[in-house]
Amino acid sequence: MTTSFDWRLPRGTVIRGKWKRSSYRVERLLGEGANGKVYLVERQRAWYAMKIGADAVDLQSEINVLQAIANAKLVSRSEPYLVEVDDYSGTDGKEYPFYVMRYIRGATLSDFLSKRGMEWFPVAGYSLLVKLSELHAGRWTFGDLKAENVLVSDYGRVELVDYGGVTAFGKSVRQFTEIYDRGYWNAGSRSADAGYDLFSFGVLCIQVYDARRLAALAGSLLPQNRSPEELLKLAQSIPALRPLGDWLAKALRGTFSNVEEAAREWQQWQRRTSGRSSSVVPRWMKGLFVASAALLATTIYWLLRTGA
Amino acid sequence: MKQILLITDGCSNVGVSPVVAAAQAHAEGIAVNVVGVLDQGDLGEFGSAEIEEIARAGGGLSRLAHTRQLSQTVQMLTRKTVVQTIQHAVHRELKQVLGASSIEELPPEKRGEVVRVMDELSETSKLRVALLIDASASMKPKLAAVEEAIRDLALSLQARQGRSEIAVFHFPGSAHGDECLLDLDWTTDVRGVHQFLPRLQMRGTTPTGPAILRVVDHFRAPAPRSYRNPDETDGQMSDYVV
Ligand SMILES: Nc1ncnc2c1ncn2[C@@H]1O[C@H](COP(=O)(O)OP(=O)(O)OP(=O)(O)O)[C@@H](O)[C@H]1O
C-alpha cells in the first residue's frame, strides 16, 4: 500500500508546527510505509526523525500508543522516544499531522548483518528480546515485528521502529505482515499476547539466514498446509540454525510462557555456541594478531634505522 | 455495524442495477465494500467504473486486487470501513459536543482522546460482514483464493474483542432462477467449514444487483435473541465522547 499523498519534502524545507510553533528543517527522507513518511529533521543542532501522516486518525492512534508507553515509563532510558506532536500546513493547503521522535542511527537488521557478519546475530537477537520484554511488561505486543522494523546501531544495539502495530494484550493485532504472522502459518490466533511476538521472532530468525527459501516455502504451500512444523523443517536445513532448533520450536509452537523465559534460553544457546569456538583463536583475533605483528616489525625496523 | 463485501470480476448484466441495490443497503445502515479481483489483465474500464460506483452508493470502499493480494485487500477494506463507520458517528458527536467539524480541527491532545475512543469502539463493537461472492464462470479459477481470503478474514475478526460474525453468499444461485444462495449463515468460526462455495459450473448471468438486495433482506431477518440490537454501541457514543 502506498501513502495517499505523494509529495516529497525537499531538503531545507522548514516545517513549523501549527500549535506549538517549533521549527524543524528537513534533511532527507528516511523511509516510508503504510502510515506516512519519515524524514530526518534538524532542530537547534539536534537530529530527530519526523513522521508525517496523511490520515490524522491513523497517525493519532500510533501517537496514543507511544504516549501510553512513555507514560508507563517502561523503558529505562533518559531520552524520550516521542518528542513532539503537531500539525503542518502543506504547500497544497492541506494540514498534515506529524510527530517527532528520537532519530535512530542504524541499519535495518538485515543490512546490519550482511555488512557486519552473522556473528552479530545472537547479540542483536538478545537485545531485541530485551526490547520486547520491556514492551510486554506494559502488556503491549509489538505486532508487526519484522527485519525492516528492527534498526541496529553499533555493537548490535537494537531499536524498534514503526509502532503502528503495537496492540494491548487481548486485543486484535492492529497491523501485521503475512509471512511473520502466526495466523498465516495456522499457528494460532491474531490476538495480541507475548507468544505472538515470539512467533514473529522465530520467523525473523529464519528470514535473516535464508530469506529466499522462506519466501519460496510460503509461496509453495497450500494455505491449509502452512504450519510451524514446515518452518521448523526449513530451519533444520540451515546449518547455522540447527543448534537453535529447540528454541525455535518453542517460539513457533508457542510454548514459551513469556519473553523472559525465551531470553534466558537464548542466552543458554549463546553460551553454548560461543563456548564451542573458544578452543581456536577466533578469526577477528587472528586478524588483530597479524596486524600487531606487522606493526611491531615496522616499529623495530624504524627504531633500528634511526638508532643507527 | 453491518457490512456487505462483494467480490466480483465483472459487470452485472441482469436485474436491478447494483448501484441502486447498494444505495438501498446504505440507506438501511449497511456499508457496501467491493473488491474487483483480477487474475491476469484487468477488469476493463467498465468493470472498474462499476465497482467504484457500487461502493460509493453503498457508503463503502472499493479496490482492485490480484488474487495474490486478495486476503490483504479484504482485511484492509473491512477494517477501514469499520473505522469509517465509527468516524461518521464520532463526527456527528464532535459537532454537537465540541463544535468542531472534523477530528483534524481538534488540538492534538483532544484528538488523542477522541481517537482512543474510536479505537476502542472499532475493537469492541459488534460487527457482521456478509461476503457476497460472484461465482460466475470467469470467477471459477479464483475461487480458491476467495475462500482463503474468507478464512483469513474470519481469523482476524475472531481476534476482535467485539462479537464478529460472517455469512457467505454466492451468485448466481442454482438453475431454478435464484439470484443468490446462502452458503454459510452467521457464524463466528469457520474452522470446521470445508468449502464455502460450490464448484459447479454456473450460468452465464451476473445478477449483482438482485444478489445485493437478497443479502440486505438477510440482514433484516429477525436475528436470534443474542444478536438483538447490533448497533447498541452507536447509541452509547455520547457517553464515550466528551
Ligand atoms: N526513529 C527513527 N529513526 C530512524 N529511522 C526511522 C525512525 N522511524 C522510522 N524510520 C525509518 O522510516 C521507515 C518507515 O517508518 P515506519 O515503518 O514507521 O513507517 P510506516 O508507514 O509505519 O511503515 P510500514 O508500512 O512498515 O508500517 C522505517 O523503516 C525506518 O527505516
Side-chain angles (χ1 to χ4, degrees):
Chain A
M1 243 188 307
T2 48
T3 36
S4 43
F5 60 106
D6 43 17
W7 45 263
R8 201 176 179 170
L9 296 168
R11 180 157 186 249
T13 308
V14 174
I15 292 190
R16 185 164 198 170
K18 172 182 163 185
W19 306 91
K20 303 192 182 122
R21 320 294 306 160
S22 317
S23 298
Y24 296 89
R25 190 183 52 78
V26 171
E27 180 67 21
R28 65 185 165 90
L29 187 70
L30 287 171
E32 58 189 297
N35 295 340
K37 300 190 186 204
V38 180
Y39 289 94
L40 175 62
V41 297
E42 179 253 10
R43 176 187 164 198
Q44 294 170 348
R45 297 217 189 83
W47 295 112
Y48 299 97
M50 172 189 278
K51 184 161 185 174
I52 304 186
D55 185 275
V57 175
D58 283 349
L59 199 76
Q60 185 63 49
S61 14
E62 210 169 302
I63 294 166
N64 283 353
V65 166
L66 289 170
Q67 277 167 342
I69 293 172
N71 292 341
K73 299 221 172 16
L74 297 168
V75 187
S76 49
R77 180 193 297 127
S78 45
E79 321 153 72
Y81 187 72
L82 184 66
V83 177
E84 196 168 64
V85 179
D86 213 327
D87 293 335
Y88 162 65
S89 307
T91 43
D92 56 2
K94 291 201 195 101
E95 299 215 332
Y96 295 90
F98 69 80
Y99 68 81
V100 179
M101 61 195 137
R102 197 153 47 78
Y103 169 53
I104 295 156
R105 218 176 291 261
T108 66
L109 182 61
S110 314
D111 287 348
F112 177 86
L113 292 174
S114 62
K115 223 176 291 157
R116 308 283 293 272
M118 289 309 288
E119 63 183 329
W120 283 94
F121 180 60
V123 185
Y126 181 75
S127 169
L128 179 54
L129 286 169
V130 171
K131 276 273 160 304
L132 290 176
S133 77
E134 289 170 353
L135 263 184
H136 290 191
R139 306 192 56 73
W140 300 96
T141 302
F142 185 72
D144 202 3
L145 183 61
K146 54 178 171 181
E148 298 90 310
N149 286 343
V150 179
L151 295 187
V152 191
S153 55
D154 288 342
Y155 306 115
R157 248 167 256 156
V158 159
E159 293 284 352
L160 290 162
V161 288
D162 188 0
Y163 283 71
V166 176
T167 309
F169 278 9
K171 298 195 172 179
S172 55
V173 173
R174 295 151 56 93
Q175 193 178 304
F176 58 85
T177 301
E178 268 182 357
I179 208 160
Y180 294 92
D181 168 47
R182 182 167 71 180
Y184 177 83
W185 289 99
N186 298 310
S189 75
R190 284 191 184 130
S191 292
D193 54 31
Y196 190 89
D197 281 342
L198 284 171
F199 182 90
S200 304
F201 191 109
V203 177
L204 182 71
C205 292
I206 303 175
Q207 166 79 19
V208 296
Y209 278 99
D210 204 334
R212 208 179 41 78
R213 277 171 68 208
L214 177 62
L217 179 69
S220 67
L221 289 172
L222 284 172
Q224 62 270 28
N225 295 340
R226 291 191 289 248
S227 70
E229 304 314 311
E230 290 291 340
L231 287 170
L232 286 170
K233 248 190 274 168
L234 174 57
Q236 279 303 313
S237 72
I238 300 168
L241 279 180
R242 229 170 276 147
L244 197 58
D246 289 343
W247 193 95
L248 283 173
K250 287 188 182 172
L252 296 171
R253 292 186 189 134
T255 53
F256 279 126
S257 39
N258 50 44
V259 191
E260 285 72 28
E261 185 189 333
R264 266 197 311 277
E265 295 199 15
W266 184 272
Q267 280 177 317
Q268 282 159 16
W269 165 65
Q270 282 180 287
R271 224 170 290 138
R272 280 198 309 274
T273 43
S274 59
R276 243 199 342 222
S277 53
S278 65
S279 54
V280 291
V281 181
R283 200 154 35 97
W284 64 270
M285 213 185 256
K286 264 189 209 152
L288 217 57
F289 180 70
V290 170
S292 50
L295 189 68
L296 188 65
T298 6
T299 315
I300 291 169
Y301 174 76
W302 282 108
L303 276 175
L304 292 176
R305 261 188 60 143
T306 44
Chain B
M1 282 181 288
K2 301 176 232 170
Q3 296 183 8
I4 292 175
L5 181 80
L6 168 65
I7 302 182
T8 182
D9 72 345
C11 292
S12 62
N13 52 20
V14 277
V16 61
S17 147
V19 179
V20 172
Q24 177 63 33
H26 186 46
E28 300 196 22
I30 306 165
V32 183
N33 288 325
V34 192
V35 180
V37 55
L38 317 167
D39 215 348
Q40 289 126 10
D42 60 346
L43 284 189
E45 216 173 297
F46 191 62
S48 25
E50 190 182 88
I51 70 158
E52 227 173 273
E53 222 187 323
I54 296 172
R56 214 174 302 133
L61 302 162
S62 68
R63 284 288 186 286
L64 294 178
H66 196 275
T67 43
R68 270 181 279 116
Q69 305 129 12
L70 194 59
S71 294
Q72 272 162 300
T73 308
V74 164
Q75 301 249 356
M76 189 266 294
L77 288 189
T78 306
R79 190 177 269 260
K80 270 200 188 300
T81 304
V82 164
V83 173
Q84 217 174 49
T85 306
I86 286 164
Q87 215 161 326
H88 283 313
V90 168
H91 272 176
R92 280 199 304 270
E93 300 288 330
L94 280 180
K95 272 202 202 98
Q96 285 172 9
V97 182
L98 299 170
S101 62
S102 73
I103 290 167
E104 290 80 359
E105 268 177 39
L106 297 172
E109 302 80 52
K110 263 268 173 332
R111 199 184 296 164
E113 264 171 69
V114 173
V115 170
R116 197 176 42 71
V117 172
M118 287 175 56
D119 277 344
E120 188 63 26
L121 290 173
S122 319
E123 174 71 16
T124 55
S125 45
K126 289 184 187 167
L127 171 65
R128 282 181 148 190
V129 183
L131 292 131
L132 177 56
I133 313 302
D134 174 353
S136 58
S138 59
M139 278 291 289
K140 220 180 156 195
K142 302 166 197 161
L143 289 184
V146 171
E147 290 203 337
E148 196 204 334
I150 296 175
R151 269 177 220 287
D152 201 60
L153 177 68
L155 189 69
S156 278
L157 294 185
Q158 236 174 30
R160 293 178 75 241
Q161 289 180 318
R163 185 181 177 87
S164 322
E165 295 172 302
I166 67 162
V168 181
F169 296 82
H170 77 269
F171 67 98
S174 67
H176 313 301
D178 298 320
E179 54 279 351
C180 169
L181 281 181
L182 174 66
D183 298 296
L184 182 70
D185 208 349
W186 298 121
T187 180
T188 55
D189 193 346
V190 299
R191 267 173 301 188
V193 186
H194 225 62
Q195 185 178 314
F196 300 101
L197 304 162
R199 293 293 196 273
L200 307 169
Q201 189 58 52
M202 297 302 169
R203 292 172 305 169
T205 59
T206 310
T208 315
I212 293 175
L213 290 182
R214 167 77 183 77
V215 178
V216 171
D217 248 356
H218 195 74
F219 270 106
R220 277 189 217 132
R225 273 197 86 70
S226 57
Y227 311 143
R228 286 281 159 74
N229 205 4
D231 287 351
E232 60 187 2
T233 44
D234 280 4
Q236 295 167 359
M237 201 77 78
S238 41
D239 299 340
Y240 284 95
V241 184
V242 167

